Amino acid sequence: NTVSFSGSNKIITEWTSFHTVGITYNSSNGRFTVPSAGKYFIHVNIYLYQNDAFQRLHILDNDSIFVHSSADYNSGAGDLGQDNSLVCTAIRDLSANDYITFSMLDGGGRIHMAGAHSHMTMHKLS
């Protein structure tokens, strides 16, 4: 599943496979909601299907950005098709019913959401 986006923050809603204990996912808004307060480990890896663009991955806590990863793969030479990834990892204190979303900001690109290409994990630590 290749997802195209351009210019604005696009909330990623294309996650497809889950193994959850308590954390719920809403595919209409991309929210992963936690059932109880605690420290959560959050990791996301997004496979970039298109090069030649500035790209930024955000992790949001209740719609507020708290960490991001960015890369400028814009070579100016039409250098499309090279595989790249953006990765973010964080430990975050969350309250019951807080939610995490992931978004991409880009100058014109695509991400690949199939199989083992893009993935995220979220675990309660304490």
Side-chain angles (χ1 to χ4, degrees), residues 50-65:
Q50 178 173 335
N51 202 17
D52 201 23
F54 173 80
Q55 298 167 322
R56 178 173 290 151
L57 168 64
H58 296 188
I59 302 177
L60 299 89
D61 173 355
N62 298 316
D63 297 325
S64 179
I65 298 167

Side-chain angles (χ1 to χ4, degrees), residues 51-120:
N51 202 17
D52 201 23
F54 173 80
Q55 298 167 322
R56 178 173 290 151
L57 168 64
H58 296 188
I59 302 177
L60 299 89
D61 173 355
N62 298 316
D63 297 325
S64 179
I65 298 167
F66 70 93
V67 68
H68 75 260
S69 176
S70 60
D72 188 354
Y73 296 116
N74 193 347
S75 69
D79 188 18
L80 302 178
Q82 293 185 15
D83 300 340
N84 297 293
S85 291
L86 285 177
V87 178
C88 287
T89 302
I91 295 175
R92 185 80 168 169
D93 286 318
L94 299 174
S95 299
N97 299 313
D98 279 355
Y99 57 88
I100 297 295
T101 52
F102 305 93
S103 72
M104 290 292 298
L105 171 69
D106 171 81
R110 299 175 290 164
I111 58 178
H112 198 61
M113 296 296 294
H117 287 88
S118 295
H119 55 274
M120 63 79 58

Side-chain angles (χ1 to χ4, degrees), residues 14-77:
E14 291 79 13
W15 306 105
T16 59
S17 178
F18 305 98
H19 302 283
T20 66
V21 177
I23 296 172
T24 58
Y25 175 64
N26 183 330
S27 62
S28 67
N29 56 22
R31 292 179 178 175
F32 290 88
T33 304
V34 301
S36 59
K39 286 192 182 305
Y40 285 82
F41 171 83
I42 304 161
H43 173 81
V44 60
N45 180 82
I46 298 296
Y47 175 84
L48 306 174
Y49 194 66
Q50 178 173 335
N51 202 17
D52 201 23
F54 173 80
Q55 298 167 322
R56 178 173 290 151
L57 168 64
H58 296 188
I59 302 177
L60 299 89
D61 173 355
N62 298 316
D63 297 325
S64 179
I65 298 167
F66 70 93
V67 68
H68 75 260
S69 176
S70 60
D72 188 354
Y73 296 116
N74 193 347
S75 69

